[in-house]
Amino acid sequence: MSRPVDRTNLPLPLVARGKVRDVYAVGDDRLLIVATDRISAFDVVLPQPIPHKGAVLTQLTAWWLTKIADITPNHLISADADVIVEEVPELADTREIWGRRSMLVHRATVVPIECVVRGYISGSAWAEYRKTGTLAGEKLPEGLRESQRLDPPIFSPATKAETGHDENITFDRMKEVVGAELAEELRRRSLAIYQRGRDIAADANIILADTKFEFGTLDDGTLVLIDEVLTPDSSRFWPKESYEVGRGQPSLDKQPVRDHLEALVAAGQWNKEPPAPDLPPEVVRATSERYLGVFRRLTDVALEDFPSSEPVSAARGAGT
Ligand SMILES: Nc1ncnc2c1ncn2[C@@H]1O[C@H](COP(=O)(O)OP(=O)(O)OP(=O)(O)O)[C@@H](O)[C@H]1O
Ligand SMILES: [Mg+2]
């Protein structure tokens, strides 16, 4: 088993180190996006990496992209280490570190909007609704309860904040930022991907409560889906078996971490400010199993067997 990776130093120019990803330039027009095993909760990165987390995020993104290829073009060139080494031979020696967790992608100019779609009301949307009865500034029906399903799903854009929390904005504001035509197209694609994702997740008894997409434009003007797609880090996944309207839901992936940290907060041992406390080994192990479990439940294939030479479960296909 390869060791967890919490920071990489690959022989390529480093473009950015996010909370989870190390991003490198490959020439002028491509990027290597490396999902490390770092985990964040309450917006702080925790000291212990979660084994397999990066590979789950990357391979799950690659899997979803095949399911939604008819809805939107995307940035992915390959998430297959053999192909990446062929394209970027200078990475051959460090393959142990980046293999499975990395995507070679077309570098895009990022549209500065987080394209959030919500099919259930939770998180910052629930907070807004409770306060003003609105979501993204639009009136919602009265009497909604926490975690209630929204039909149809709602597009609720946010601006990408350099630091701290993203800010929810109205669709009208989004039109001012990126132009009406692009705003409409991003909303159309985001809703279509979410609907497909919600249906596929439902087959696996997973509720895809909400998710966030990013888009960018390539040099030739093509609008492409970028970043991670429908992963546990960019989405709220709830186990269907414990879903109950009227309260917050446990997270399919990060719940062991959240429970541990909330217990420390309740005991007055942490105030949700950095530095984050250490995670005990059993919490790390349980969380790693959760991430692997999400992958298996969605794709019907264990991470170690993915991608398989067999076509992935025909029953879970995109339906087209
Ligand atoms: N094809 C692409 N071209 C250009 N930038 C991309 C592409 N795909 C993803 N990105 C950018 O790469 C970064 C991925 O890093 P990561 O997800 O760790 O950071 P983040 O989400 O911006 O910040 P954080 O996770 O720290 O809140 C994002 O800023 C994303 O916008
Ligand atoms: Mg990100």
Side-chain angles (χ1 to χ4, degrees):
M1 191 187 86
S2 54
R3 281 195 295 141
V5 167
D6 74 343
R7 191 185 168 87
T8 64
N9 264 305
L10 302 181
L12 293 170
L14 184 70
V15 176
R17 236 189 258 284
K19 282 203 283 290
V20 171
R21 289 177 175 73
D22 293 348
V23 182
Y24 296 89
V26 177
D28 289 340
D29 55 0
R30 294 183 297 174
L31 296 172
L32 186 78
I33 302 188
V34 185
T36 68
D37 296 317
R38 295 193 290 267
I39 188 170
S40 66
F42 307 118
D43 272 338
V44 293
V45 178
L46 296 158
Q48 282 73 30
I50 304 297
H52 308 295
K53 176 175 179 278
V56 164
L57 298 185
T58 294
Q59 298 305 320
L60 194 56
T61 294
W63 180 82
W64 277 117
L65 289 176
T66 66
K67 302 284 176 204
I68 61 169
D70 58 313
I71 300 175
T72 178
N74 65 71
H75 65 158
L76 185 65
I77 299 168
S78 184
D80 177 332
D82 289 336
V83 176
I84 295 174
V85 167
E86 250 168 59
E87 293 287 322
V88 195
E90 57 267 48
L91 286 172
D93 292 346
T94 49
R95 185 178 166 142
E96 269 303 286
I97 293 164
W98 60 263
R100 303 287 281 164
R101 65 179 69 255
S102 300
M103 306 193 283
L104 181 65
V105 305
H106 296 290
R107 187 171 192 163
T109 304
V110 181
V111 178
I113 298 281
E114 310 266 357
C115 294
V116 179
V117 182
R118 302 173 184 278
Y120 291 75
I121 187 156
S122 172
S124 66
W126 173 244
E128 179 186 330
Y129 176 76
R130 249 197 338 190
K131 221 159 111 197
T132 57
T134 59
L135 171 50
E138 323 270 343
K139 203 103 203 111
L140 283 188
E142 275 171 40
L144 289 180
R145 298 167 68 202
E146 186 172 11
S147 305
Q148 190 165 335
R149 184 175 161 116
L150 300 166
D151 271 306
I154 293 174
F155 181 69
S156 78
T159 47
K160 277 173 76 81
E162 282 299 316
T163 53
H165 293 283
D166 297 334
E167 190 195 340
N168 292 338
I169 58 171
T170 62
F171 188 60
D172 283 341
R173 175 71 194 134
M174 176 176 171
K175 286 187 191 163
E176 287 167 16
V177 176
V178 301
E181 202 180 327
L182 181 56
E184 301 276 2
E185 179 60 15
L186 293 176
R187 177 168 70 176
R188 191 187 68 72
R189 284 194 207 179
S190 298
L191 287 168
I193 303 165
Y194 174 78
Q195 307 261 18
R196 174 78 55 82
R198 180 159 86 172
D199 290 347
I200 292 176
D203 285 348
N205 287 320
I206 292 174
I207 294 172
L208 174 60
D210 54 39
T211 194
K212 179 208 79 180
F213 304 112
E214 288 186 45
F215 292 86
T217 44
L218 303 181
D219 282 347
D220 68 1
T222 317
L223 180 65
V224 292
L225 179 63
I226 64 169
D227 206 51
E228 60 183 325
V229 177
L230 296 168
T231 71
D233 278 14
S234 66
S235 321
R236 279 196 179 86
F237 287 149
W238 296 336
K240 195 172 161 202
E241 58 271 17
S242 61
Y243 172 72
E244 218 176 86
V245 77
R247 59 160 168 79
Q249 309 299 312
S251 147
L252 197 50
D253 38 281
K254 282 187 188 174
Q255 203 57 42
V257 173
R258 295 222 177 111
D259 289 347
H260 175 72
L261 295 177
E262 290 288 12
L264 292 181
V265 171
Q269 290 167 22
W270 189 48
N271 60 359
K272 295 196 176 177
E273 295 295 325
D278 285 321
L279 294 176
E282 63 273 16
V283 172
V284 171
R285 202 176 324 114
T287 308
S288 177
E289 278 164 18
R290 293 280 192 121
Y291 274 87
L292 289 170
V294 170
F295 186 90
R296 160 124 227 175
R297 209 157 140 173
L298 272 173
T299 66
D300 228 10
V301 180
L303 180 67
E304 70 226 52
D305 298 328
F306 180 83
S308 61
S309 43
E310 301 289 312
V312 175
S313 176
R316 294 265 172 79
T320 46

